[in-house]
Amino acid sequence: MALGKDYTGQDCTLARALEVVGERWTLLIVRDAFYGVRRFSDFLVHLDMPRAVLSARLSTLVEHGVLAKEGHEYVLTEAGLSLWPVVHGLACWGEQNFGELGPHRLFVHADCGTRIAPDGTCPTCGGAPVRPADLEIHPGPSAGLRDDAVSKALRTPHRMLTPIET
Ligand SMILES: [Zn+2]
């Protein structure tokens, strides 16, 4: 039997989730959507990925209700927004295990300026995990010097989910 690209026969809900967000590039597209990237051309320049692959991944995300297409823009749905703990958790895991250079971006509670903990809560304010809309993205110690419009916009603090002006 040929190995398919899906996990037929796996009834675990993790396998079903991976069919939607587990392909190469997909979580980076979702991450960029949290950063406020909405236009095809902006995903393309920031991710440096093949146009056809981006097109296919965006279609999959829209088909499964992670992104909604509004005119020429792709916007996270409620299901998409609820992926934030996954994106943030994986980024923290990467930093802890493979992050010799330090994080590329810091996620900061906008109300108080404190970097959120790996569990998503604010060490200063406490309480429930901070919602994405209440976070700012700050350049981290390993922030690159890429010259595309999205990278440039993210060199200064940027409120998460606010459209990137390019
Ligand atoms: Zn706080």
Side-chain angles (χ1 to χ4, degrees):
M1 194 176 77
L3 206 60
K5 76 182 191 69
D6 54 14
Y7 302 100
T8 310
Q10 293 292 320
D11 56 8
C12 170
T13 53
L14 177 59
R16 291 176 61 188
L18 286 174
E19 283 178 13
V20 179
V21 298
E23 289 185 297
R24 185 168 166 80
W25 296 108
T26 300
L27 275 181
L28 297 179
I29 294 167
V30 171
R31 176 206 63 187
D32 275 14
F34 278 104
Y35 289 178
V37 177
R38 293 182 169 201
R39 288 191 291 260
F40 187 93
S41 56
D42 289 339
F43 285 111
L44 197 64
V45 294
H46 192 226
L47 293 169
D48 260 343
M49 62 187 290
R51 177 177 283 269
V53 177
L54 176 59
S55 186
R57 296 295 184 271
L58 286 170
S59 294
T60 299
L61 288 168
V62 170
E63 184 189 329
H64 289 93
V66 176
L67 295 176
K69 194 162 184 204
E70 298 177 358
H72 291 292
E73 299 190 329
Y74 295 88
V75 180
L76 288 161
T77 62
E78 283 301 315
L81 288 169
S82 66
L83 276 169
W84 171 246
V86 176
V87 173
H88 180 244
L90 264 181
C92 291
W93 182 78
E95 182 187 341
Q96 284 156 7
N97 291 282
F98 313 105
E100 302 80 15
L101 301 176
H104 199 64
R105 313 250 179 244
L106 304 175
F107 303 111
V108 169
H109 189 200
D111 287 354
C112 71
T114 308
R115 187 184 178 196
I116 57 168
D119 68 1
T121 62
C122 174
T124 301
C125 303
V130 182
R131 299 178 316 137
D134 294 329
L135 292 172
E136 278 179 356
I137 306 149
H138 290 225
S142 75
L145 293 173
R146 286 178 52 90
D147 223 22
D148 64 85
V150 174
S151 297
K152 280 184 186 162
L154 291 173
R155 276 190 206 142
T156 51
H158 178 81
R159 178 72 76 129
M160 198 170 278
L161 300 175
T162 306
I164 298 260
E165 305 292 339
T166 58

